Amino acid sequence: MATSSIIRRALLYVPGSSQKMLEKSRGLSADCVAYDLEDSVTPGKKAEARSNLVSLLSKPRASGIREQAVRINSVDSGFALDDLTEVLKAQHLDALVIPKVNSASDLHFVTDVVRHTLPDRHTSNEASQKQPPVRLIALIESARAITELTSICRASPFLSGLIFAAEDFALDLSITRTPSLSEFLYARSAITMAARAHNLPSTIDLVCTNFRGEQGMKALEDECINGRNLGFNGKQCIHPTQVETVQKLYSPPEKEVEWAVRVVIADEKADRAGRGAWTLDGKMIDVPVVGKAKAIVEKAKVCGFNVDEIRAKWKDQEPE
């Protein structure tokens, strides 16, 4: 699956049973909105919520939302097949978030249903597809899931990312979440490494449950920085006020983008001169550093930076 245009700095959950929240969500600016059929919807409201989402996702796309997803119920819940049968009717469904993925078989089930229901979007001949495939994003919530990461990452050609669900993971291990998040270090590191090893574009970190007021915003910022340092490139959000901060902190900083553009420009000139290694600002630049710079530039483009303008500013940059 092509990954270059997929970016999920913020994944915001919106209850599928609340018409008010569904309509308000269309005015948001977010990389991914995941309309929820799972935890936020009681069993008696599941059918109504499915109908709400089919209607919502059949409307013209909201201009500020890059990706429209639905979080279905877990495969072993008894609700998943009904969820899929209904939401796959929606014209503008981009992705499915699958909770409690404990093994490859959970993704095999969803993949088989998606292929059977929407064969034209899930063929081996991408050139013949009028719409891209429905992408799958797996929630990792248990010790078993951590031990099965390799098979989970290989389970579906439509798998597009992993999400860490801290609260359910803590429940499974009978541990208590602390502000340091140190109790999740192994699990979170395992998720980011598995996703990278299998070329999945998204690794989405835990929810920040403390988000109100100045203290909540500081906690959110700290968690974003912590997640970035572990290799996550996005974060789950449970309130619209979290989205702007999360998307800013999971975008490359302006100074980093400018540095990367300078490296790319200077490397182009070094390459023409036959130079394999050179310096910039007194620091050696070699192939791995150039590779990092190119990745930053590509991400900056997707995040909305005017890279052409920055290139024009530094067009005279030379390798030192």
Side-chain angles (χ1 to χ4, degrees):
M1 173 176 290
T3 64
S4 59
S5 63
I6 296 174
I7 183 168
R8 302 185 183 104
R9 293 166 296 178
L11 184 150
L12 173 68
Y13 293 110
V14 176
S17 56
S18 171
Q19 284 283 13
K20 179 181 178 181
M21 291 184 182
L22 293 177
E23 286 303 319
K24 286 183 69 174
S25 73
R26 289 178 57 79
L28 297 173
S29 292
D31 286 345
C32 180
V33 175
Y35 296 104
D36 191 29
L37 291 173
E38 196 208 12
D39 288 348
S40 67
V41 181
T42 61
K45 289 283 189 179
K46 300 285 189 191
E48 179 184 337
R50 293 180 195 118
S51 177
N52 291 344
L53 296 190
V54 172
S55 175
L56 181 80
L57 297 176
S58 296
K59 294 180 179 180
R61 286 183 173 275
S63 60
I65 301 173
R66 291 177 184 259
E67 182 179 57
Q68 299 182 136
V70 170
R71 178 167 71 169
I72 62 171
N73 288 276
S74 63
V75 170
D76 64 359
S77 68
F79 295 115
L81 183 58
D82 287 340
D83 291 345
L84 291 168
T85 300
E86 288 302 308
V87 301
L88 290 173
K89 297 175 183 177
Q91 182 179 357
H92 300 303
L93 174 69
D94 301 314
L96 292 167
V97 177
I98 302 104
K100 298 178 175 63
V101 174
N102 287 317
S103 68
S105 62
D106 294 320
L107 293 180
H108 292 162
F109 172 82
V110 176
T111 300
D112 288 346
V113 175
V114 167
R115 275 179 162 152
H116 177 77
T117 307
L118 299 172
D120 291 343
R121 289 181 67 175
H122 302 86
T123 66
S124 56
N125 183 8
E126 292 187 10
S128 67
Q129 295 172 359
K130 295 181 179 179
Q131 283 183 278
V134 174
R135 298 181 282 267
L136 308 183
I137 315 170
L139 272 155
I140 304 301
E141 311 190 26
S142 68
R144 182 186 173 192
I146 294 296
T147 65
E148 297 281 344
L149 277 171
T150 297
S151 61
I152 287 170
C153 289
R154 296 172 177 172
S156 173
F158 312 121
L159 184 63
S160 179
L162 302 177
I163 306 173
F164 179 54
E167 306 309 320
D168 284 275
F169 185 81
L171 177 65
D172 187 46
L173 268 68
S174 299
I175 58 178
T176 300
R177 175 173 175 162
T178 65
S180 73
L181 305 177
S182 59
E183 59 279 357
F184 300 131
L185 178 59
Y186 174 77
R188 292 165 76 210
S189 298
I191 288 169
T192 57
M193 285 191 288
R196 185 69 192 96
H198 293 87
N199 201 32
L200 301 180
S202 286
T203 46
I204 302 174
D205 203 8
L206 42 68
V207 166
C208 180
T209 55
N210 179 17
F211 62 89
R212 296 191 185 280
E214 188 175 320
Q215 183 179 358
M217 189 57 64
K218 179 65 166 58
L220 179 63
E221 291 173 355
D222 289 346
E223 286 191 14
C224 288
I225 294 168
N226 179 273
R228 278 191 62 175
N229 289 341
L230 283 178
F232 287 93
N233 54 24
K235 189 170 184 66
Q236 298 168 88
C237 299
I238 54 174
H239 195 277
T241 57
Q242 295 179 314
V243 171
E244 183 178 359
T245 296
V246 169
Q247 294 197 164
K248 178 180 179 181
L249 289 173
Y250 275 100
S251 298
E254 289 184 21
K255 287 186 178 180
E256 187 176 60
V257 175
E258 193 162 279
W259 168 84
V261 169
R262 291 174 64 205
V263 170
V264 170
I265 291 172
D267 183 65
E268 292 168 354
K269 295 177 181 179
D271 185 60
R272 288 195 293 269
R275 295 173 61 183
W278 41 278
T279 62
L280 182 70
D281 299 335
K283 296 180 180 179
M284 189 183 79
I285 307 295
D286 56 8
V287 172
V289 177
V290 173
K292 177 183 177 181
K294 288 179 178 178
I296 291 170
V297 171
E298 289 306 308
K299 184 168 184 178
K301 290 177 182 177
V302 181
C303 291
F305 283 85
N306 189 336
V307 172
D308 289 340
E309 185 176 284
I310 301 172
R311 282 190 67 101
K313 176 183 176 182
W314 290 99
K315 60 183 173 52
D316 296 325
Q317 177 66 57
E318 296 287 338
E320 300 167 359

